[in-house]
Amino acid sequence: MTAPSDMPGLPMTRPASCPVDPPEDYAKFRGAELMKVRCPVGMDAWLVTRYADVRAVLSDRTMSSRGASSLHVNPYAGPDEEVHPGSVIQLDGERHSRLRKMVLAEFTVRRVKAMREYVRELVGRHLDAMLARPGTADLVQDFALPIPSLVICELLGVPHADRERFQRQSVALVSTDRTAEQSRQARDELSGYLAGLFTDKQRDPQDDVFSRMITRGEATGDPLTMEELVILGLSLLVAGHETTANMIALSVLVLLEHPEQRDVVLRTPDRAVEELLRYLSVVQFGVLRYATEDVAVGEHTVKAGDWLVAALNSANRDEEAFPGADELDFHRESPRPHLAFGFGAHQCLGQQLARVELQETLTQLFSRVPSLRLAVSPEELEFKHNTLVYGVRQLPITWSR
């Protein structure tokens, strides 16, 4: 066990030579005993870095999600505070299952499949607009960010005209260096907006996820309260575009650095996307869990009352699970399931939709713009080291006409 004077702190620094790689210390920790780390929120937690251990922790029902997902890196968070109704990310047991079942009904394979044509057309329109420019663009603002934002608006029933509004508030909610006042203001503004939106949908339901959840709850005698709707809406709206937008931009960056891999993306986009998800793992600080009972994690016993951080990006680079884990390899033999979407009862609800968006954006982009390249040197890029979801702030690109 690490002595307090030697205790490392989170977050840890990524290697400057390859900023899409996780912190180098993770590899060292995977070969050692379970490591305790000091978190910005003011507590110490066990850092879980091995693939097998992370899966075990995330699938263990005695591990509470009440501090999820990454509150340990927010100095102003309160992981011991009571969980709000509607927080599908933090609730446990029956309260979590009730909400999850309601949402899962809207993210079935059939519903997501029906969304693919809309996503394909949306990607095509944004490519048309980008290619109509003189030959340069910021892939983040012009392509990677608006597509998942518009998709989640369409799915949830949020007016497209309000997209920039919730994007701005989302930035404050996922930043780790915001003040308590900035966080509260962004949450209050977005909560107030959603409360008004849901009031309208209660009066006049439309063909969207939130309207169907409202009417289904009323029909079954188990209606969602306004507080539940607002908190649930916050989770779906923010998570529904932040992770996918950053994955699109980082995936393009990696493929620009590995041009020989682009043909594989075009031939087998489903396989390529799974490897990109594993390789990049944009939920960069791990997910927080609380032990409600004594439990064995690997060779170590975690006591009831202890906190744990399951480092997803470390697990996805574990050589025991993925030989050559630090290499982008679209030809892995019988690849194991990655943990980019988490694991267990709280696994990402929108993962199938995210896969569709990644497949459509990458295949259309590289088939229509084979000459795509960076417009600046890689050293000039600025990465999001201070946000819960890792990414690149701008991605200047150019192409030949």
Side-chain angles (χ1 to χ4, degrees):
M1 185 184 301
T2 305
S5 60
D6 300 325
M7 190 182 297
L10 289 180
M12 296 177 184
T13 305
R14 290 174 179 260
S17 60
C18 189
V20 300
D21 282 352
E24 293 176 314
D25 282 344
Y26 284 178
K28 177 177 65 178
F29 296 159
R30 285 195 298 269
E33 187 182 1
L34 205 63
M35 179 73 61
K36 213 162 197 182
V37 293
R38 186 145 290 158
C39 303
V41 76
M43 68 188 185
D44 300 335
W46 296 107
L47 182 65
V48 187
T49 54
R50 299 173 185 167
Y51 178 86
D53 292 344
V54 169
R55 277 176 60 110
V57 165
L58 296 183
S59 60
D60 191 332
R61 295 303 179 102
T62 69
M63 294 286 182
S64 172
S65 183
R66 75 186 203 201
S69 59
S70 301
L71 297 183
H72 54 292
V73 292
N74 179 1
Y76 304 103
D80 290 318
E81 293 179 0
E82 184 178 354
V83 177
H84 293 289
S87 180
V88 70
I89 297 174
Q90 293 177 275
L91 289 171
D92 298 312
E94 288 300 318
R95 293 196 298 166
H96 169 256
S97 297
R98 168 178 171 261
L99 284 176
R100 188 174 178 89
K101 288 175 183 176
M102 291 182 179
V103 180
L104 274 178
E106 299 296 337
F107 286 91
T108 61
V109 173
R110 181 180 61 83
R111 284 198 184 278
V112 171
K113 185 178 180 180
M115 285 288 293
R116 185 181 285 273
E117 187 58 37
Y118 171 77
V119 174
R120 183 175 294 140
E121 293 176 359
L122 190 64
V123 172
R125 291 201 300 271
H126 278 77
L127 270 177
D128 289 342
M130 191 176 77
L131 295 175
R133 297 186 175 189
T136 60
D138 174 13
L139 189 103
V140 174
Q141 293 298 323
D142 297 329
F143 189 73
L145 184 57
I147 291 169
S149 298
L150 290 169
V151 169
I152 202 67
C153 282
E154 180 74 13
L155 191 67
L156 300 182
V158 176
H160 289 189
D162 295 336
R163 176 173 64 88
E164 291 186 5
R165 177 179 182 177
F166 78 74
Q167 282 177 355
R168 182 176 63 253
Q169 292 153 345
S170 295
V171 169
L173 290 175
V174 300
S175 173
T176 61
D177 57 5
R178 65 191 183 277
T179 66
E181 175 59 23
Q182 288 171 328
S183 177
R184 184 199 61 77
Q185 183 176 350
R187 182 173 293 273
D188 288 350
E189 288 180 3
L190 195 48
S191 296
Y193 167 75
L194 288 172
L197 181 69
F198 295 144
T199 299
D200 291 341
K201 292 182 183 300
Q202 287 173 330
R203 289 195 300 259
D204 183 22
Q206 303 296 315
D207 184 20
D208 58 65
V209 167
F210 286 138
S211 292
R212 288 192 293 270
M213 290 180 66
I214 290 169
T215 56
R216 188 184 302 119
E218 293 172 347
T220 59
D222 185 23
L224 291 168
T225 66
M226 182 57 72
E227 183 180 10
E228 287 176 323
L229 281 167
V230 168
I231 299 299
L232 183 59
L234 276 170
S235 300
L236 295 178
L237 198 58
V238 175
H241 79 277
E242 278 288 340
T243 50
T244 308
N246 285 290
M247 263 302 303
I248 292 170
L250 281 182
S251 296
V252 171
L253 173 60
V254 167
L255 290 167
L256 291 177
E257 296 174 339
H258 297 81
E260 74 283 356
Q261 302 272 31
R262 296 183 200 173
D263 287 344
V264 184
V265 175
L266 298 179
R267 291 197 307 269
T268 56
D270 51 347
R271 188 181 184 98
V273 162
E274 296 308 305
E275 174 66 356
L276 286 164
L277 286 163
R278 179 203 69 82
Y279 183 73
L280 294 170
S281 301
V282 294
V283 180
Q284 66 170 332
F285 300 130
V287 292
L288 191 61
R289 292 292 184 266
Y290 176 82
T292 61
E293 300 177 9
D294 290 359
V295 62
V297 179
E299 303 83 23
H300 186 82
T301 298
V302 172
K303 298 293 185 181
D306 282 355
W307 290 93
L308 304 92
V309 176
L312 304 182
N313 53 359
S314 174
N316 281 337
R317 294 295 188 95
D318 187 345
E319 289 282 339
E320 291 294 320
F322 306 99
D326 287 332
E327 299 298 322
L328 183 69
D329 182 3
F330 294 145
H331 302 286
R332 292 187 180 276
E333 294 297 328
S334 302
R336 279 186 172 86
H338 60 74
L339 302 179
F341 294 118
F343 191 70
H346 286 82
Q347 195 171 27
C348 175
L349 289 159
Q351 60 181 286
Q352 298 305 332
L353 182 60
R355 287 182 167 102
V356 167
E357 293 176 80
L358 285 163
Q359 291 165 13
E360 290 296 329
T361 52
L362 296 179
T363 53
Q364 288 199 52
L365 181 64
F366 286 108
S367 62
R368 291 186 58 183
V369 198
S371 62
L372 193 71
R373 59 192 183 276
L374 278 177
V376 298
S377 67
E379 293 75 23
E380 294 179 64
L381 298 176
E382 182 183 356
F383 292 86
K384 298 180 179 179
H385 295 288
N386 65 334
T387 60
L388 303 182
V389 182
Y390 192 60
V392 62
R393 297 194 184 279
Q394 295 91 29
L395 191 61
I397 54 168
T398 187
W399 57 90
S400 303
R401 288 191 174 276

